[in-house]
Amino acid sequence: MIRVRFADARIWRYVLRGIAEYLDVVGIKFHPEEGVRIKAMDPSHVMLIDFYIPRHAFDEFEVENEALLTINLETAAKVLRRATKNDRLVIISDGARISFGLVSRGGVERYFTMPLMATKYEEIPELSLDLRVAAKMLGPTFATAISILSEAGETLKISATNEGVKLTSTSELGEIEFEFSTTTGTLIDYTPPEEQEFTNSYSLEYIEVIGKIAKLGETLTLKLGPDMPCELDLELSSGAILKAYIAPRAE
C-alpha cells in the first residue's frame, strides 16, 4: 500500500504535463527510505528528465516496499490540470490502481482513480557528466527569458564567456539575446570556462519544457561544457528537485 502527501500539487501538474508532450506512459518509483522519483527520456533520446522528491519533503509518507508504478501520462496530466497553488497532492495506490487527490486549504478533497498500466517501464540508468561551467539564477528569470526566446526561433545558442552566459535565438525577423552575469545581478553565482569561451546550440522546444516548469522554481543552475549536453538543475518549492539533460544540436 502506498499513500503520500505533498504540499504543492502544481509542481506535479507542470512536470507531468511537460513529460506528456513526448511520452504516453511513465514510471513513478516509490522508495520507502529515499522518496519518489520519475525518470523519463523522450523517444529521440534528446532530453532526459529526472524529477526527485526526497522522503523528508512529504507531509505524509507511507511506502511499505519499493515499487515502480506505470501510469498513463495523458490521463494523469488531465487530472492534475485542475491543481491550483492552494492544493496539496495525495497519491494512493493498492498496486492495481492509483488515485490522485487534490486537497484544498479549506479541506475539500477531490480524488481521481485510474488503473495502472501493465506496460513494463524500462528504468533509465544514472547519467553523470563532467560539466565545469555553472550559471545559477532565479527560476522565474530563466522562465521569462525562454518564453521570449522561443518566439524568435527554433534553436537556442548558449555562449559561456568569462563574464557570464548569453542565450540567443535567431529568426528571419531578427535576433533576441539575453546576457546573464553576476555583475548585472542576473546571476546568483557563476563558474566560468577554465580555458576558452564556447557556444553550444540546443533545440528550443526541449528547453521550453523546462522553462515552463522553472517559473515555479526557486533557483535554476545551468551547467555547460564544450559540445556537451547541457544540464538544468531546478530547485522547486517544498524540497522537490528537477534535473534535465538536453543533447546539443549538430550544426
Side-chain angles (χ1 to χ4, degrees):
M1 185 69 182
I2 290 171
R3 180 184 173 89
V4 300
R5 185 177 66 194
F6 186 67
D8 192 343
R10 284 186 313 160
I11 290 176
W12 285 76
R13 167 188 161 189
Y14 279 89
V15 170
L16 291 187
R17 187 175 70 181
I19 299 173
E21 292 184 24
Y22 298 97
L23 295 175
D24 297 324
V25 300
V26 77
I28 307 177
K29 188 173 185 178
F30 294 83
H31 193 284
E33 297 175 1
E34 296 177 4
V36 176
R37 183 173 231 132
I38 297 175
K39 292 183 75 175
M41 183 177 286
D42 76 297
S44 59
H45 291 194
V46 172
M47 178 172 66
L48 168 64
I49 287 180
D50 185 355
F51 177 55
Y52 172 62
I53 305 178
R55 175 180 175 145
H56 65 78
F58 288 87
D59 298 332
E60 180 182 349
F61 194 85
E62 297 177 20
V63 178
E64 296 176 1
N65 301 299
E66 185 176 337
L68 182 65
L69 307 183
T70 305
I71 63 168
N72 180 292
L73 266 172
E74 183 181 2
T75 305
K78 284 181 179 178
V79 166
L80 293 177
R81 188 171 56 192
R82 301 177 176 88
T84 70
K85 63 180 180 180
N86 298 319
D87 288 331
R88 289 172 293 173
L89 177 68
V90 177
I91 302 176
I92 302 170
S93 178
D94 59 3
R97 299 177 302 170
I98 189 168
S99 298
F100 292 97
L102 299 176
V103 183
S104 70
R105 289 182 182 173
V108 177
E109 300 185 10
R110 296 160 286 164
Y111 284 89
F112 309 89
T113 302
M114 67 184 78
L116 292 170
M117 303 287 290
T119 309
K120 185 178 180 181
Y121 187 77
E122 185 177 342
E123 292 195 56
I124 298 166
E126 293 293 325
L127 180 62
S128 179
L129 299 173
D130 185 21
L131 303 172
R132 304 291 178 87
V133 175
K136 187 175 184 179
M137 66 189 78
L138 295 175
T141 300
F142 181 80
T144 300
I146 295 303
S147 175
I148 295 170
L149 287 162
S150 63
E151 296 176 2
E154 298 178 353
T155 301
L156 177 69
K157 289 186 177 182
I158 305 179
S159 301
T161 70
N162 293 325
E163 292 75 33
V165 292
K166 296 179 183 178
L167 275 57
T168 310
S169 180
T170 307
S171 71
E172 295 177 355
L173 300 177
E175 181 179 275
I176 298 177
E177 181 178 271
F178 282 85
E179 293 189 22
F180 301 91
S181 69
T182 53
T183 305
T184 59
T186 47
L187 288 183
I188 300 168
D189 194 19
Y190 183 59
T191 304
E194 294 179 347
E195 297 179 0
Q196 45 184 305
E197 301 176 350
F198 61 88
T199 299
N200 297 340
S201 296
Y202 303 93
S203 293
L204 252 172
E205 65 172 297
Y206 295 101
I207 304 279
E208 213 178 342
V209 171
I210 309 305
K212 292 174 182 176
I213 303 170
K215 64 183 178 182
L216 301 180
E218 295 175 359
T219 63
L220 180 137
T221 301
L222 172 63
K223 297 181 179 179
L224 301 161
D227 301 315
M228 296 277 286
C230 68
E231 178 181 334
L232 299 158
D233 294 352
L234 185 58
E235 293 184 13
L236 297 156
S237 64
S238 305
I241 301 165
L242 185 139
K243 292 188 177 184
Y245 304 87
I246 300 172
R249 285 185 67 149
E251 290 294 329

